[in-house]
Amino acid sequence: MRIRRWLPAATLTAAVAISSGAQMASADPVTPVNAGAPFAIEDGAYPYRAAALDSTGADLISGDGNINLTPCSSPYQIMVWARNLKTEDSRVCFKAANTGYLAVNIPRAFRIETVDRDLSAQVTINGQTSSLSVPKDTSKGFGESSPTDPQRATLLEMRVTGSATAPTAPSGDQTYAFAGKLSIGDNKRFCTATLIDPRWVLTAKSCFADKPAENNSVAAGAPKETTTVTVGRTDLATSGGHTTQIVELVPREDRDLVMARLDKPAFGITPATMSTTASTAGQELTVAGFGRTATQWAPSKIHTATFTVGTVAATGVDLAAKTPADATVCKGDAGAPAVRTENGKPAVAAIGSRSWQGDCIDSSEAKTGAYDTRVDDLGQWISSLTARRSTAVNEAGGNDRIRWADFDGDGKPDYISVADTGEVSVWLNRGGDPAGANGWQGLGRVATGLTNDRNRVRFADFDGDGKADYILINTDGSVEVYLNQGGDPGNGWKHLGKVATGTTNDATKVRFADWDGDGRTDYLVFDNGGGVTAYLNRGGDTAGGQGWPSPGKITTGSTSDRARVRFADNDGDGKADYFIVKPDGKVDLYLNRGGDVVPNTGWSVVGQIASGLTTDHTKVQFVDFNADTHADYLLAGTGGSASVWLWNGGDKSGSNGWTGIGKVASGT
């Protein structure tokens, strides 16, 4: 977006004429005059490429805007020497941000020097392309400067891979922090995106089309090329915000619009509010984007300008700058939110699509109007997608994927999903609510590749630190433990190795729960006759002997259907009690009083404590949802939903013993 207040960049630019006026919207109520303008996608083309080549001899092709030509007499981070350059001392210099990419064609290049930047370069010598690493504050020769085999080289690209300068903390106005920058492919395209839900952004469909000017259709599903989005950071040169990949596209057939799902949800960043009121001619909308300006190729700071609505059609609106000499929608503003103030805060009425781009840097076009896609009439479509919670869980149900355990040690069970690939995702329990939105804080993936057989995975506190550890039952009957160190695919889990061997190789017979109340998970094995044998956790070892002393069989005959048994602390004494979920939906409880082969003395029989909540035992878990030390009743529904009944004493009627909270998650 071209706006006057930006200072000139230290890059090779030409004078940009200030337009004396903007083309206003047509009065035609059906056909906006700007609907045929080019799509406002940033293609990465270097501004004034021909002029740069003519003056320096270096062909600067495309990039992300973070490496720009600058005079060598000014501060620079990269200097390149080449025989064919037209400049003094055969050098060209560049300013570079903390990260950056620039594709070039500089024949007979032979040396690169860096200042405060680590650099990776691609060079070709005799038709062979190779990588060249140039650490910060060093100079490296190649090609004709080689002392052993001097040959002509061509510099093809430069990438900044590191900097000694740490990014500063975000500052300034965060009103439009819901607007973010979208990067598609390897610095191929850039657009603006609008966060409307922790898991979803809205942007222009044209950003993902192969050739949008010819065919602006986009297939639903994963994007063809790796795509990342950064939101919550109004200055991209600072730290903070949220950066993640886009893993799913849901395009609209009737307009230039796509919903894009984030791999890791952006909890902690307030999504934009969606307007439900159609725009009217003469109304003002503020556009916030990361696109080009009159003087900058890729500004790091979000910029805003006010536009006046012209023609309003069924799926889009014309926009004209309120002050024609001050603003133009430019390349990179596709997907930018156009907002009005409603109830004291910005509400998104439209999303950037097309612009004539007059007065934008490196544009020869005189027209300055823009065309945005309407979203005020899409509330139902948007809600149907934001209601989904589809990270690693099977959206068709998949109750066998779900585990409940206290991942972060706050005393409340968290929601853990084990995918077919062995990936583990976590949602932290923050109280929950019927919408399943702000009651759960999504951490995203916390482990990958430990096993792809989720039936052999358990989560329980092995070492007594209050956090659920990752326990894997191998097919040979051995048990491996990964201690919870915070959780991530790399160093978040400390592998202890095998802690038991030979106890059983039937994973369906094993439970882990704190049987003796010492804060550490014990090993419980079911036999076919309904008997349960306990092995107490004393640290474990690879022999499975001294580390797991066994009190022997602790119950017999309670049930022979081990799939219907749960162990959880119902009475808050720190020891796991015995629950049986019956085929008719009734639940019986046996309180742990030490246990022995005579169940009537080792287990205090409470009897039936609930009835009729469900007859499908695979959907039931008993865990302390509200951290009051009593196990509550959790029911996993279809579509990844979950409902909770809090324990309040229980009785044989199953009516007043459980207080229903209702649905606490939907589609997670």
Side-chain angles (χ1 to χ4, degrees), residues 295-631:
T295 58
Q296 288 186 303
W297 173 15
S300 68
K301 294 181 180 180
I302 195 168
H303 39 273
T304 63
T306 303
F307 292 79
T308 302
V309 175
T311 300
V312 179
T315 60
V317 297
D318 270 335
L319 296 179
K322 181 181 177 183
T323 306
D326 282 349
T328 303
V329 172
C330 297
K331 285 183 179 182
D333 288 326
V339 306
R340 67 171 73 94
T341 300
E342 296 180 3
N343 299 318
K345 58 183 179 181
V348 180
I351 293 294
S353 174
R354 296 171 178 263
S355 169
W356 293 110
Q357 301 167 35
D359 291 342
C360 298
I361 189 173
D362 196 22
S363 173
S364 58
E365 176 62 63
K367 297 178 183 178
T368 58
Y371 176 80
D372 272 25
T373 299
R374 285 181 56 184
V375 295
D376 58 89
D377 60 332
L378 298 180
Q380 185 174 359
W381 177 68
I382 292 171
S383 296
S384 70
L385 294 172
T386 58
R388 291 169 43 192
R389 305 287 184 259
S390 54
T391 302
V393 177
N394 182 350
E395 292 176 15
N399 298 303
D400 60 334
R401 297 172 182 262
I402 297 170
R403 306 288 191 271
W404 297 91
D406 185 6
F407 182 81
D408 57 355
D410 66 353
K412 295 183 292 185
D414 303 307
Y415 191 101
I416 303 175
S417 164
V418 184
D420 291 334
T421 59
E423 294 177 345
V424 180
S425 298
V426 170
W427 288 262
L428 297 181
N429 184 344
R430 295 296 183 251
D433 61 31
N438 57 11
W440 300 88
Q441 178 187 349
L443 295 186
R445 294 190 181 102
V446 298
T448 58
L450 301 182
T451 180
N452 59 8
D453 185 354
R454 59 181 178 271
N455 295 316
R456 295 189 171 273
V457 176
R458 304 289 189 274
F459 293 92
D461 185 8
F462 180 81
D463 56 357
D465 66 352
K467 295 184 293 185
D469 303 308
Y470 190 103
I471 302 176
L472 178 61
I473 305 167
N474 293 317
T475 54
D476 62 359
S478 63
V479 179
E480 291 189 59
V481 169
Y482 298 77
L483 294 183
N484 183 344
Q485 306 292 293
D488 62 31
N491 57 9
W493 300 87
K494 179 182 178 182
H495 188 202
L496 295 187
K498 291 182 180 178
V499 298
T501 58
T503 310
T504 180
N505 62 3
D506 186 347
T508 66
K509 295 184 176 183
V510 177
R511 301 285 191 279
F512 290 94
D514 184 8
W515 191 77
D516 57 357
D518 66 352
R520 295 182 296 183
T521 183
D522 303 308
Y523 190 104
L524 306 176
V525 181
F526 293 80
D527 60 36
N528 293 330
V532 180
T533 301
Y535 297 80
L536 301 181
N537 182 347
R538 295 297 182 257
D541 59 29
T542 54
Q546 295 178 351
W548 299 86
S550 176
K553 193 171 288 189
I554 56 174
T555 187
T556 59
S558 301
T559 180
S560 59
D561 186 352
R562 57 184 175 267
R564 294 186 173 275
V565 176
R566 306 289 188 274
F567 288 93
D569 184 10
N570 180 264
D571 57 357
D573 66 353
K575 295 183 292 186
D577 303 308
Y578 192 104
F579 291 83
I580 300 175
V581 185
K582 294 183 176 180
D584 60 2
K586 297 175 181 177
V587 179
D588 283 352
L589 172 64
Y590 298 77
L591 296 180
N592 183 345
R593 295 296 180 255
D596 59 28
V597 293
V598 184
N600 289 333
T601 58
W603 299 85
S604 174
V605 181
V606 176
Q608 186 176 308
I609 58 170
S611 64
L613 298 183
T614 181
T615 58
D616 186 350
H617 62 87
T618 66
K619 297 183 177 183
V620 177
Q621 298 292 330
F622 294 92
V623 287
D624 183 9
F625 181 81
N626 58 347
D628 67 351
T629 73
H630 297 281

